[in-house]
Amino acid sequence: MARDNDIHIDTFIPYMRDVARCERSLHELNLLWRLIESSAKMNCAEEAHSMLPMMAATREGFQRLELDLVHSMVSESVHEVMSEIATCAHHVIDIVVRNLYERTADVGFLATDRTLCNYVAGISDGRGIMERLGEYRSKYTVYDEIMLINTEGTVLAQIDESSPVEGSLDPLLAQTLASDSYLETFRACDLRPHKQQALLYTQRMLHPSTGEPCGVLCLSFDFEGEMAGIFAGSSAAQGRSVALLLNAQNRVIASSDSDWIALGVKLPTNQDGAPHLYTHSGRTYLVQTVSATDYQGYPGPEGWKGQVMIPIEQAFGTKIMRCIDNLPQDVAQGLLGHAKSFCPPLYDIIKAADAIRRVVWNGQVMTAGQRGGSSRLKSVLEQIGETGARTNVVFTQSIRDLYDTVLSAGLRDSQSLTQLLVDLLDRNLYERANDCRWWALSPVLRQLLSHTTAQGAPSAELLEQATRVLEHINSLYTVYTRLMVYDRQGRILCASRPDMASGHSVLEQHIDPATLAAVLQLKDSQQYHVSPWSDAQAGAEGATYVYHAAIRQEGDSSVTVGGIAIVFNAIPEMQAMLTNALVGKPKNQALYVNRQGLVLASTDPASPPGSTVQLPAPQLLQVQAGQSEAVIAVHQQQYSIVGASVSRGYREFKTTDGYGDDVLALSIETFGQVETDTHGLVQAAHAVDGTGSGIGGVEMATFYVGAQLFALRAESVLEALPAAAISPVSAGRLPYCLGTLARHAQGQVTGYVWVFDLGELLTGQRTRLTEQSQVVVLEHGARKLGVLVSALHGVHHFEHASIIPAPSMTGGGDMLVSELIKANQGALLVQCINPHSLLNTLQRKPGEVAVAAPAVE
């Protein structure tokens, strides 16, 4: 969802307690600045004349920032919720569509089953028919009913004994008999008399001899059970929102809580994702609606949509994490340096707040040393100092809250995305486990292997028939590289698509002994075996899973005569899942990996399939089955949000069927390159408590050089100016010189100063310019110059007793740091720069000071 500049903040603020508190604090500070300005004008206009422009600038900037900050906090909070419920709505409809796509293949294939067709056509009696339908139902547990119906509507066979049906008059049967494709029907139907609505897949069955329609196959999908599973795996399971499936008329056909929003109800929808409020049954909601998108050419049932609704009073009441409190300081600050790309409103507010901080800092510097003046001026100056300190605190906390909101949304979205990915994979692999077991029951394949066991070699006729069956299956189920049938010795007897890219044929290969032994030990038709992920498997052309099932002897299912291997075209299919889930997420990469970090599929060029991903938080690979986790960290030299979810299994697959192989989905969202120059990563993390407020102390202007806190006596400081305004004019052989900077008063240029890199002077390393970089203009004697600093901090009043001489360095000479301030009861030492020593150090020769600004055009 795009952040909406037209969002009506007054609508949402009553539901956002944190934002409401921030708004009150900002409004109170705004009133204080107005009161200070008015007091100065009325009571000491002449004495405060030089400070009035600063106060006006502060008031004007503060008013703009107050509106922008509150608007951004509301906008980002709304965006966080809208993103969360949009992901959940995608989760609902995407899984439904992909699941139902498999049903369209199932009904088309099962309708051609020779055993079933012979029975419906009257060629064979019903012996073994119920057993065969039961075998299908026990493997494809997504169906709650399977029916065989003749052309007159008489039900010949069904497996749901709890809902017996003798026949049907529904027009669906005639429509199916007249169609050469499957029909997908969702409504009340007399074939499922105990259901208000049934999702049915029907296809006509053809006479094996004449090719004429002889009946109808009907598969009834377990719609209620499937939707309950989807809802349980979505964020709606937390109970704060309700997830829904809507039809083309926007009526509810499935609800995560039908006591809350009942089936059949018509609802308002929000398909453009705008952050508007919608009312239903007297309650107000934020809503996200997502339409179905094609999957493998299948569009899903016409008009179906996923929708999530969250009551406005629930939307902002809780946060799942306070992530910024747990971030390493260098990561938090480094990531914040990329705010312009990942959250432009946050970036704009940081810039505006820095500008106001600079104005306040300048005002505090300007008033330093004047506390002994008139009582009226003294009162104004004290108010400026106190309000400036409060302003810094409120700005810092408000920006921190906004930053936390943005990051929390990213963490939550990462978890939702990876959960969707593992759910998609579970459902896909569930179908593979079903397919191999069902196809192992093919009469043609059983006959082939039974004949081979008895005769020692397969007949050409049976080989040809079996090959046609495999080729037909593979033409319908294109997710497989090939299907292979092998005997008890592991010899591959026949296969679909037998020719490999290497030029060899899979018919020259054998199933490896370990896999063969595992297949021969399978006890019944419900068991299957999956080869571990590898490219060294018969029939594989790349790393994959190969699903195996035992083929039993004709007439004696206790004897295993061989097996079937279906080679999943894993990497392309899994890559497609990842790619489709990342639509609209240009900064994200996604991967499927195992517990060892081996990459199975990936959209990340830096971590291709077959490589081992190196995660910044190793515990992500240890997330428990069915759980999710996300962290903010440095990954591949990028500030990133890395999320992981582990598959929970689906129905009996990986839950009760004895198969276990944890696959994790990873999401990596990147925000920008890690800067190796840490001087730019300034932390305004040092809270300094002044040790006195009387006239006998010293005013100190504090600032950062890199991550270190320094000070200058405020009486030596004229002002601070943005470093972006430096003109890189050559200063001859002046060391550490960056250029010149113009000074202004009442909109006019009043002069220029040379600017020197204080960080390079102190550390020997050039300071990287950032958005926070400032130039502190100082004056000593008759000379003025500017020094580049990493960020401003504050102006504080200290007692003389808290200022001590700095330890002398061997060799004597001018000491740049001549004093130390013991702040916060000695817990923090602040280094004081000596202006005289600084000027002398910056001279090219003793006695020659080149800091007077020349004329600059």
Side-chain angles (χ1 to χ4, degrees):
M1 181 200 76
R3 291 166 173 82
D4 192 342
N5 291 328
D6 298 324
I7 209 166
H8 299 293
I9 63 172
D10 291 339
T11 301
F12 294 100
I13 286 179
Y15 304 100
M16 301 178 179
R17 287 175 292 178
D18 290 345
V19 178
R21 280 195 294 268
C22 174
E23 183 186 39
R24 286 194 298 271
S25 297
L26 290 170
H27 189 62
E28 290 170 3
L29 282 172
N30 195 347
L31 292 176
L32 278 175
W33 282 115
R34 288 174 177 271
L35 182 62
I36 293 169
E37 183 182 9
S38 299
S39 178
K41 286 179 178 179
M42 289 187 297
N43 298 323
C44 52
E46 184 174 348
E47 298 97 320
H49 175 74
S50 61
M51 290 177 285
L52 290 176
M54 177 276 296
M55 296 183 203
T58 302
R59 170 179 48 79
E60 292 168 4
F62 203 103
Q63 187 169 350
R64 288 192 301 272
L65 182 61
E66 179 186 359
L67 294 174
D68 290 345
L69 182 54
V70 171
H71 186 284
S72 294
M73 293 180 77
V74 171
S75 178
E76 290 301 326
S77 294
V78 172
H79 170 74
E80 177 184 10
V81 173
M82 294 298 285
S83 177
E84 176 191 357
I85 63 175
T87 300
C88 183
H90 271 291
H91 192 131
V92 171
I93 191 62
D94 288 351
I95 290 180
V96 166
V97 169
R98 283 158 175 76
N99 195 321
L100 298 188
Y101 164 75
E102 299 283 353
R103 313 291 65 90
T104 66
D106 286 351
V107 72
F109 179 69
L110 190 59
T112 65
D113 184 272
R114 178 60 64 93
T115 301
L116 302 183
C117 287
N118 282 342
Y119 171 63
V120 173
I123 296 174
S124 64
D125 58 28
R127 282 181 298 179
I129 290 299
M130 292 304 297
E131 180 183 356
R132 187 157 180 79
L133 293 181
E135 287 276 15
Y136 194 86
R137 169 66 177 82
S138 65
K139 293 163 181 58
Y140 297 86
T141 56
V142 294
Y143 299 114
D144 55 25
E145 175 67 294
I146 304 173
M147 289 178 159
L148 301 177
I149 309 164
N150 68 16
T151 55
E152 285 75 38
T154 301
V155 175
L156 303 177
Q158 67 174 118
I159 62 169
D160 184 3
E161 297 178 353
S162 66
S163 181
V165 178
E166 293 185 0
S168 173
L169 299 175
D170 198 296
L172 172 62
L173 298 179
Q175 295 166 6
T176 304
L177 289 168
S179 174
D180 59 3
S181 180
Y182 71 90
L183 265 65
E184 183 178 59
T185 307
F186 184 71
R187 57 174 172 77
C189 179
D190 60 6
L191 290 170
R192 302 296 283 148
H194 302 301
K195 290 181 175 288
Q196 291 184 346
Q197 50 194 8
L199 181 54
L200 305 177
Y201 290 83
T202 56
Q203 179 134 356
R204 70 185 184 185
M205 305 175 75
L206 303 181
H207 195 289
S209 301
T210 66
E212 294 298 315
C214 62
V216 171
L217 169 69
C218 176
L219 301 180
S220 175
F221 182 63
D222 180 17
F223 180 72
E224 292 84 359
E226 176 63 13
M227 294 310 303
I230 292 174
F231 292 144
S234 72
S235 60
Q238 300 172 7
R240 293 172 55 236
S241 60
V242 59
L244 307 153
L245 189 64
L246 308 183
N247 64 14
Q249 291 74 45
N250 299 329
R251 293 192 178 276
V252 179
I253 55 178
S255 171
S256 64
D257 189 339
S258 56
D259 291 331
W260 185 349
I261 295 184
L263 300 181
V265 173
K266 188 171 184 177
L267 294 175
T269 60
N270 181 26
Q271 291 190 260
D272 63 3
H276 300 153
L277 295 179
Y278 295 83
T279 301
H280 171 69
S281 297
R283 201 169 186 184
T284 305
Y285 295 88
L286 283 169
V287 178
Q288 282 280 26
T289 312
V290 178
S291 295
T293 55
D294 288 9
Y295 176 68
Q296 303 282 353
Y298 169 70
E302 184 177 358
W304 282 21
K305 298 173 283 287
Q307 179 160 304
V308 176
M309 303 171 67
I310 186 167
I312 185 65
E313 67 271 15
Q314 290 286 335
F316 312 104
T318 59
K319 280 191 176 182
I320 61 170
M321 57 195 77
R322 178 77 183 181
C323 62
I324 197 170
D325 294 337
N326 301 318
L327 278 184
Q329 287 293 330
D330 59 334
V331 174
Q333 192 66 21
L335 182 55
L336 194 59
H338 294 282
K340 188 173 185 178
S341 63
F342 74 85
C343 184
L346 177 59
Y347 168 78
D348 292 339
I349 284 165
I350 291 171
K351 283 187 63 178
D354 283 344
I356 294 177
R357 283 192 182 103
R358 184 174 60 250
V359 171
V360 172
W361 194 86
N362 284 339
Q364 292 173 307
V365 165
M366 189 182 303
T367 62
Q370 301 185 42
R371 292 177 183 264
S374 71
S375 60
R376 289 176 297 181
L377 178 60
K378 179 180 178 181
S379 175
V380 170
L381 299 179
E382 288 177 350
Q383 289 178 46
I384 289 176
E386 293 171 3
T387 307
R390 282 188 60 188
T391 300
N392 273 332
V393 170
V394 171
F395 280 177
T396 299
Q397 187 58 52
S398 299
I399 290 172
R400 187 178 178 86
D401 287 344
L402 177 57
Y403 187 24
D404 188 71
T405 297
V406 174
L407 295 182
S408 294
L411 289 168
R412 194 184 302 220
D413 192 56
S414 179
Q415 291 179 325
S416 297
L417 173 62
T418 53
Q419 187 59 63
L420 170 62
L421 286 170
V422 291
D423 283 353
L424 289 173
L425 184 62
D426 278 346
R427 284 163 168 78
N428 191 298
L429 299 185
Y430 160 84
E431 303 291 343
R432 313 294 66 93
N434 296 342
D435 289 347
C436 71
R437 292 178 294 166
W438 174 247
W439 297 333
L441 299 177
S442 166
V444 173
L445 303 184
R446 294 181 70 177
Q447 186 179 9
L448 168 69
L449 288 178
S450 297
H451 181 273
T452 301
T453 300
Q455 303 298 323
S459 70
E461 181 181 358
L462 287 175
L463 274 177
E464 183 180 351
Q465 289 180 14
T467 300
R468 282 202 303 268
V469 168
L470 298 181
E471 292 286 2
H472 175 61
I473 295 172
N474 214 164
S475 70
L476 294 174
Y477 294 81
T478 56
V479 298
Y480 297 111
T481 304
R482 57 182 50 88
L483 285 65
M484 306 175 296
V485 172
Y486 52 90
D487 63 16
R488 286 184 59 87
Q489 287 69 49
R491 291 184 303 160
I492 298 175
L493 303 180
C494 59
S496 61
R497 305 173 184 172
D499 296 327
M500 304 180 70
S502 64
H504 296 284
S505 170
V506 296
L507 302 179
E508 303 168 2
Q509 298 183 354
H510 282 69
I511 302 300
D512 67 274
T515 298
L516 180 63
V519 173
L520 294 178
Q521 290 173 12
L522 297 176
K523 292 182 173 55
D524 55 46
S525 63
Q526 280 300 100
Q527 294 189 328
Y528 63 96
H529 172 74
V530 186
S531 298
W533 181 270
S534 170
D535 59 358
Q537 303 179 72
E541 298 188 72
T544 187
Y545 294 117
V546 179
Y547 287 76
H548 296 260
I551 297 178
R552 312 288 173 172
Q553 183 171 294
E554 278 188 303
D556 187 356
S557 295
S558 65
V559 178
T560 299
V561 290
I564 184 171
I566 59 177
V567 184
F568 183 40
N569 193 19
I571 293 178
E573 293 298 325
M574 293 165 74
Q575 298 261 149
M577 294 180 215
L578 298 174
T579 301
N580 291 339
L582 293 183
V583 172
K585 299 180 181 293
K587 294 182 180 179
N588 284 71
Q589 301 291 348
L591 305 86
Y592 285 122
V593 304
N594 66 13
R595 286 289 189 188
Q596 291 70 48
L598 176 67
V599 178
L600 313 186
S602 169
T603 65
D604 185 0
S607 299
S611 64
T612 299
V613 67
Q614 301 297 321
L615 295 180
Q619 73 269 20
L620 291 175
L621 292 177
Q622 306 305 318
V623 175
Q624 296 300 306
Q627 300 298 312
S628 303
E629 187 173 335
V631 299
I632 301 169
V634 174
H635 176 70
Q636 296 177 351
Q637 289 304 300
Q638 294 270 339
Y639 296 110
S640 306
I641 291 179
V642 183
S645 291
V646 184
S647 60
R648 71 181 72 217
Y650 172 62
R651 293 184 177 266
E652 68 280 0
F653 177 69
K654 290 187 179 180
T655 58
T656 60
D657 63 0
Y659 174 57
D661 180 57
D662 286 342
V663 175
L664 296 81
L666 302 179
S667 168
I668 302 169
E669 183 178 8
T670 57
F671 298 99
Q673 191 77 20
V674 174
E675 296 289 349
T676 55
D677 179 7
T678 57
H679 287 286
L681 307 181
V682 177
Q683 298 296 324
H686 298 105
V688 174
D689 298 326
T691 58
S693 58
I695 62 173
V698 180
E699 297 282 352
M700 290 286 187
T702 57
F703 49 86
Y704 284 98
V705 177
Q708 297 296 313
L709 196 59
F710 288 83
L712 278 162
R713 290 182 179 253
E715 63 196 34
S716 301
V717 177
L718 298 176
E719 62 179 334
L721 297 170
I726 297 174
S727 297
V729 178
S730 172
R733 294 194 303 273
L734 279 178
Y736 315 113
C737 187
L738 299 173
T740 62
L741 186 63
R743 299 185 65 211
H744 298 79
Q746 298 180 344
Q748 301 294 319
V749 175
T750 59
Y752 297 84
V753 291
W754 290 108
V755 179
F756 297 86
D757 187 342
L758 183 56
E760 186 180 10
L761 173 63
L762 293 170
T763 68
Q765 296 183 357
R766 197 73 178 261
T767 301
R768 180 174 62 89
L769 288 176
T770 70
E771 297 288 347
Q772 295 174 294
S773 298
Q774 307 286 333
V775 174
V776 174
V777 180
L778 59 93
E779 182 178 40
H780 185 72
R783 294 171 291 180
K784 300 181 180 70
L785 79 153
V787 289
L788 176 67
V789 302
S790 301
L792 301 176
H793 183 263
V795 178
H796 306 282
H797 189 91
F798 296 98
E799 298 289 357
H800 286 292
S802 65
I803 303 173
I804 61 174
S808 299
M809 300 296 290
T810 303
D814 288 332
M815 293 177 58
L816 285 176
V817 177
S818 58
E819 295 175 312
L820 298 175
I821 301 172
K822 295 191 295 182
N824 301 352
Q825 291 79 48
L828 175 67
L829 288 180
V830 183
Q831 304 173 71
C832 299
I833 301 291
N834 184 312
H836 178 76
S837 298
L838 176 63
L839 285 165
N840 286 340
T841 302
L842 292 174
Q843 294 180 98
R844 285 185 291 181
K845 300 176 184 177
E848 181 181 354
V849 181
V851 294
V856 179
E857 297 296 327

